[in-house]
């Protein structure tokens, strides 16, 4: 292979590596913004939300990305919940509505399939923060 073609191949390979690195950096920055915004909007903590989801047994009814054992098929999967327009098909997807829904689903929509779990305000805020990272 002539040396000019080798240099061209090296330049091409370096360009690909640079693009992959840049994409990774942009992805990491996007994830950081999402996490920061979720915590700011809800007053919750994402890591605590993941733990609360496990502690309250949410995964026995829902598939929830990033939560070990959250593979229930009773309720809807919660992937993409952060980008949905509504919660439970009726409520606007905004932090206060999500927190209220998690704390008292039967008071918010009587007779629906979600049981009262006695989730604390802190727990609901943390869970909401975590769910708002699921795009």
């Amino acid at each position: 292979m002539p040396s000019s073609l080798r240099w061209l191949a090296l330049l091409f390979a370096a360009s690909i590596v640079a693009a992959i690195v840049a994409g990774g950096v942009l992805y990491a920055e996007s994830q950081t913004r999402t996490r920061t915004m979720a915590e700011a909007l809800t007053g919750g903590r994402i890591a605590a939300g993941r733990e609360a989801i496990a502690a309250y047994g949410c995964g026995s009814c829902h598939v929830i990305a990033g939560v070990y054992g959250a593979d229930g098929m009773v309720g809807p999967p919660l992937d993409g919940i952060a980008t949905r327009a509504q919660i439970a098909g009726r409520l606007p997807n905004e932090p206060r509505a999500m927190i209220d829904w998690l704390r008292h689903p039967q008071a918010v929509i009587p007779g629906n399939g979600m049981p009262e779990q006695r989730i604390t305000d802190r727990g609901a805020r943390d869970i909401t923060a975590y769910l708002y990272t699921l795009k």
Side-chain angles (χ1 to χ4, degrees), residues 37-44 85-87 90-105 107-108 119-129 131-132:
M37 186 177 299
E39 288 184 341
L41 285 172
T42 63
Q86 293 182 321
I87 302 163
R90 294 189 193 174
L91 306 171
N93 191 355
E94 53 191 39
R96 185 74 253 164
M98 176 82 77
I99 292 163
D100 290 345
W101 170 249
L102 291 170
R103 292 202 66 213
H104 303 292
V108 173
I119 297 175
T120 65
D121 184 65
R122 171 88 266 149
R125 288 177 179 283
D126 293 341
I127 291 169
T128 300
L131 293 178
Y132 275 13

Side-chain angles (χ1 to χ4, degrees), residues 3 14 18 20 26 31 36-37 47 57 59 81 88 91 97 105 107 109 113 116 129 134:
S3 66
I20 290 170
L26 288 174
Q31 292 295 85
T36 300
M37 186 177 299
I81 188 73
L91 306 171
I109 303 174
E116 292 284 338
L134 302 181

